């Protein structure tokens, strides 16, 4: 018997149900884990995503044929049963459960088990075969609690204000920027300004019922506006651009799981790096895999060979699976880029 899901040139394919999960080329039926650019690509005939994902997927894909399902609601494709379960990565991010002929597979998509007020928490799902991401799949990756990161960012912001500077922080426009807004609003007070790409998606989050502090589109204040003490949130693609000049004397920072890596801040040419990831760290990856009860595990993204070796050592049937999903990478940052920074949010 062949596997229920297989890796093909268009992406992860289910022959029994004739659908793809997060295909990287156009297909007839795309089932989408979440709206990040490396998972939700243009050009497919139909898309199915979680109801919570719909708004941001429409913002990302524009005029696309999108159907939605609620968490845990089952639906069918040629006798194959599917359902979405929260992945805790960004708004609407889903694990996809696929069941056929008595066997259950779960595709994790990107996920984290840390609490995040901007999306539905990760839910462990029992399965026979688990396809997991491993973006940060090395024992050196262990996240500090997000409350510590937000406290660090708040004191950097305050120091900048006291020194008469503005604060410019680079964060992925979808997910990280909103988590940052929610977390900072808890521990700091001040005015938040947003790049257009961030502002559009932040509105989607609010429309989806996520509580976020007030933000002002950074291109709306008139010339001569005093930016001292302002917190400006922009996608990584805005780093080094002329768009930043308006903010006067500023200090810059980048917030990402990659800031855990030595030299990452310097390569980004920013003044500060703050570690905050929307992916599982090493201990969370191991416990998430355990919680599925799966005997077979496929590993995608970054450090898959190391994770496979570790899982085999624990007696699991593990293998790596080639994919074009990049996780929290520079490529995803580019997908967040907005060609015309002056275009006001719709
Ligand atoms: Zn993602």
């Amino acid at each position: 018997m062949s596997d229920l899901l297989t890796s093909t040139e268009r992406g992860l394919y289910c022959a029994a149900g004739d659908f793809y999960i997060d295909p990287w080329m156009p297909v007839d039926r795309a089932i989408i884990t979440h709206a990040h650019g490396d998972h939700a690509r243009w050009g497919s005939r139909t898309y199915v995503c979680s109801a919570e994902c719909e708004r941001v997927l429409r913002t990302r894909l524009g005029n696309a044929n999108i159907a939605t399902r609620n968490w845990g609601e089952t639906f069918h494709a040629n006798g194959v049963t599917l359902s979405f379960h929260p992945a805790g990565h960004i708004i609407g991010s889903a694990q996809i459960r696929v069941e056929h002929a008595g066997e259950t597979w779960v595709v994790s998509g990107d996920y984290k088990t840390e609490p995040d007020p901007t999306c539905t928490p990760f839910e462990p799902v029992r399965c026979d075969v688990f396809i997991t991401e491993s973006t940060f799949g090395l024992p050196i990756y262990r996240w500090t609690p997000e409350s510590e990161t937000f406290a660090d960012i708040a004191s950097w912001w305050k120091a900048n204000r006291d020194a008469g500077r503005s604060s410019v922080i680079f964060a992925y426009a979808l997910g990280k920027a909103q988590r940052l807004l929610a977390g900072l609003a808890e521990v700091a007070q001040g005015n938040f300004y947003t790049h257009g790409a961030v502002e559009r998606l932040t509105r989607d989050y609010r429309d989806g019922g996520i509580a976020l502090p007030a933000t002002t589109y950074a291109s709306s204040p008139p010339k001569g506006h005093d930016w001292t003490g302002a917190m400006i949130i922009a996608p990584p693609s805005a780093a080094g651009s002329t768009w930043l000049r308006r903010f006067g004397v500023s200090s810059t920072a980048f917030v990402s799981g990659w800031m855990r890596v030595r030299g990452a801040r310097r390569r980004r040419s920013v003044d500060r790096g703050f570690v905050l990831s929307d992916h599982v760290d090493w201990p969370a990856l191991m416990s998430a895999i355990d919680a599925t009860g799966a005997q077979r595990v496929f590993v995608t993204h970054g450090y898959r060979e190391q994770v496979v070796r570790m899982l085999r050592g624990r007696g699991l049937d593990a293998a790596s699976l080639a994919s074009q999903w990049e996780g929290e990478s520079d490529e995803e940052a580019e997908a967040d880029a907005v060609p015309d920074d002056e275009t006001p949010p719709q």
Side-chain angles (χ1 to χ4, degrees):
M1 199 178 84
S2 64
D3 281 343
L4 185 55
L5 294 168
T6 51
S7 185
T8 71
E9 62 172 9
R10 290 182 179 276
L12 192 59
Y13 180 60
C14 177
D18 192 23
F19 59 84
Y20 289 82
I21 293 177
D22 295 354
W24 41 82
M25 288 163 72
V27 301
D28 269 359
R29 240 192 306 196
I31 316 289
I32 298 296
T33 61
H34 66 292
H36 274 152
D38 57 328
H39 288 259
R41 298 203 189 247
W42 306 80
S44 286
R45 202 170 61 80
T46 64
Y47 296 86
V48 187
C49 67
S50 75
E52 191 180 292
C53 174
E54 183 181 5
R55 271 187 197 83
V56 288
L57 188 62
R58 286 196 188 283
T59 294
R60 276 294 166 84
L61 296 182
N63 191 19
N65 182 352
I66 300 171
T68 67
R69 297 289 185 277
N70 292 320
W71 297 127
E73 176 187 349
T74 54
F75 58 105
H76 302 277
N78 297 347
V80 174
T81 304
L82 293 113
S83 50
F84 291 114
H85 302 268
H89 172 60
I90 61 166
I91 196 167
S93 62
Q95 306 172 77
I96 298 174
R97 184 183 185 276
V98 183
E99 185 185 347
H100 183 63
E103 192 176 57
T104 302
W105 290 52
V106 168
V107 180
S108 75
D110 293 343
Y111 67 103
K112 72 171 178 295
T113 53
E114 259 185 297
D116 175 347
T118 63
C119 60
T120 303
F122 176 87
E123 173 195 313
V125 182
R126 302 287 293 182
C127 57
D128 302 303
V129 185
F130 187 45
I131 301 182
T132 182
E133 64 134 322
S134 66
T135 304
F136 292 102
L138 284 180
I140 55 160
Y141 292 111
R142 285 158 204 267
W143 310 138
T144 44
E146 60 161 29
S147 57
E148 285 177 32
T149 302
F150 290 132
D152 286 349
I153 298 172
S155 47
W156 169 73
W157 185 9
K158 183 174 182 307
N160 290 336
R161 187 186 298 140
D162 293 349
R165 290 189 293 255
S166 59
S167 303
V168 177
I169 198 159
F170 301 109
Y172 300 129
L174 172 55
K176 189 63 55 69
Q178 293 75 28
R179 187 179 174 200
L180 185 62
L181 280 165
L184 271 182
E186 292 286 313
V187 295
Q189 284 193 336
N191 295 324
F192 293 105
Y193 294 86
T194 47
H195 181 280
V198 173
E199 184 62 20
R200 266 188 294 276
L201 291 156
T202 300
R203 289 178 188 179
D204 287 339
Y205 269 65
R206 286 198 194 96
D207 292 345
I210 307 297
L212 294 174
T215 52
T216 304
Y217 174 45
S219 294
S220 51
K223 265 199 165 49
H225 177 80
D226 180 8
W227 293 97
T228 304
M231 169 64 80
I232 299 114
I233 302 178
S237 56
S241 74
T242 55
W243 181 80
L244 297 174
R245 284 187 198 150
R246 71 192 71 191
F247 305 119
V249 181
S250 61
S251 180
T252 56
F254 192 84
V255 56
S256 165
W258 294 114
M259 290 298 121
R260 177 63 84 221
V261 181
R262 190 184 295 271
R265 182 192 60 77
R266 204 175 52 247
R267 279 194 296 279
R268 285 284 185 176
S269 303
V270 288
D271 301 320
R272 288 291 299 270
F274 297 106
V275 181
L276 185 70
S277 176
D278 288 320
H279 298 263
V280 274
D281 64 2
W282 176 260
L285 174 67
M286 291 298 131
S287 46
I289 292 169
D290 280 349
T292 64
Q295 290 304 303
R296 270 181 93 191
V297 179
F298 288 100
V299 183
T300 70
H301 294 73
Y303 301 102
R304 51 185 196 249
E305 298 306 335
Q306 290 89 332
V307 177
V308 164
R309 221 174 301 134
M310 172 66 73
L311 295 176
R312 284 182 179 161
R314 294 171 160 214
L316 295 180
D317 178 2
S320 75
L321 187 75
S323 81
Q324 293 184 14
W325 305 319
E326 296 294 333
E328 191 178 82
S329 68
D330 284 357
E331 193 174 305
E332 189 168 286
E334 290 317 308
D336 283 341
V338 171
D340 178 6
D341 291 326
E342 297 304 327
T343 306
Q346 301 297 305

